[in-house]
Amino acid sequence: VQLVESGGALVQPGRSLRLSCTASGFRIADYAMGWFRQAPGRGLEWVGFIRRRTYGGTTKYAAPVRDRFIISRNDVGNVAYLQMNSLKTDDTALYYCSRTMTDNAIFAGEWWSDPWGQGTLVTVSS
Amino acid sequence: QPVLTQPPSASGTPGELVTISCSGSNSNLGSNYVFWYQQFPGTAPKLLIYQDQWRPSGVPDRFSGSRSGTSASLAISGLRSEDEAEYFCSAWDDTLNGLIFGGGTKVTAL
């Protein structure tokens, strides 16, 4: 089971970027997927989740990114995405994706994320 | 400022019991599960404990978790040098309607 993030780059404030999370060893169609981030030298921060398609493929986001970031999934290609728009300097971080276990629970507070990828670095700076 | 409060550091001698606290409120730990992650420098976080007390396959049984009221704790019984890492607690917050983390606790084996 492995997750590999890609797409991180240096971008200017206000621009967009799309991150990819390519899974191997399991089918993402069977799982929710999560995105997290960690600013340099800082703690962990949740970005959002996307449910399985059998549960509507709906998404949930942290407040700081709710109106700017979009999580999507391509179950056929076994890839999850994080589309980041209107980027701010505060978005600078190492971004991780994760397989998220739900045990068919509807409430996201019962979910857990394991494993995580190695992360991809996004730097927002002019 | 993280919503969940952890001590910035904890330490113990090899073989000792080390406990890490995670303090929250009614809207998070008071009503929702706690999860614990372990992170070594330069590597991705690894799930250590889920839904308060359960260990994923492969996690040594010297790690245990518990939750009571608005607090939770992670215990490392029989500390080993390879346990030197940063540990983060996490829980859903009903008021924020999102997943929150503690600031992390760096564990040192003396």
Side-chain angles (χ1 to χ4, degrees):
Chain A
V1 173
Q2 190 177 17
L3 295 162
V4 177
E5 302 92 338
S6 60
L10 169 64
V11 294
Q12 293 179 325
R15 303 299 290 267
S16 298
L17 194 65
R18 188 177 81 160
L19 306 183
S20 299
C21 169
T22 303
S24 58
F26 73 100
R27 296 183 343 130
I28 71 166
D30 297 331
Y31 297 90
M33 298 295 291
W35 284 93
F36 298 81
R37 66 185 181 183
Q38 187 170 31
R42 306 293 296 275
L44 297 170
E45 183 181 13
W46 171 67
V47 172
F49 290 131
I50 184 166
R51 290 181 174 85
R52 296 168 54 182
R53 290 219 177 273
T54 52
Y55 288 95
T58 54
T59 51
K60 219 163 176 61
Y61 300 98
V65 308
R66 191 163 290 151
D67 298 325
R68 300 183 296 123
F69 289 10
I70 300 170
I71 298 174
S72 60
R73 58 192 303 150
N74 175 352
D75 291 346
V76 173
N78 227 29
V79 183
Y81 299 100
L82 177 64
Q83 175 69 40
M84 303 184 294
N85 302 318
S86 303
L87 281 162
K88 306 175 181 180
T89 55
D90 285 349
D91 295 320
T92 294
L94 189 61
Y95 283 75
Y96 297 101
C97 70
S98 71
R99 182 179 67 176
T100 297
M101 321 293 278
T102 67
D103 258 4
N104 295 323
I106 301 299
F107 176 44
E110 298 181 28
W111 302 355
W112 62 99
S113 293
D114 179 51
W116 297 39
Q118 87 290 346
T120 187
L121 182 62
V122 174
T123 303
V124 184
S125 175
S126 53
Chain B
Q1 199 77 350
V3 181
L4 299 178
T5 302
Q6 297 180 239
S9 64
S11 61
T13 56
E16 193 175 3
L17 169 68
V18 173
T19 302
I20 302 168
S21 62
C22 176
S23 177
S25 65
N26 288 331
S27 64
N28 43 68
L29 295 180
S31 51
N32 296 312
Y33 290 125
V34 68
F35 304 82
W36 291 92
Y37 294 89
Q38 176 191 56
Q39 186 178 35
F40 296 102
T43 70
K46 171 191 168 184
L47 179 70
L48 212 57
I49 298 287
Y50 66 97
Q51 292 185 348
D52 292 346
Q53 60 176 316
W54 305 108
R55 287 185 306 275
S57 174
V59 172
D61 60 7
R62 65 178 181 276
F63 293 96
S64 62
S66 63
R67 179 172 62 97
S68 179
T70 59
S71 295
S73 63
L74 174 72
I76 310 174
S77 58
L79 183 70
R80 296 189 178 187
S81 58
E82 60 257 38
D83 298 333
E84 287 197 330
E86 191 158 22
Y87 295 83
F88 294 91
C89 61
S90 175
W92 191 265
D93 188 284
D94 294 331
T95 300
L96 298 174
N97 193 25
L99 191 65
I100 57 173
F101 284 88
T105 299
K106 288 186 179 176
V107 169
T108 304
L110 300 172

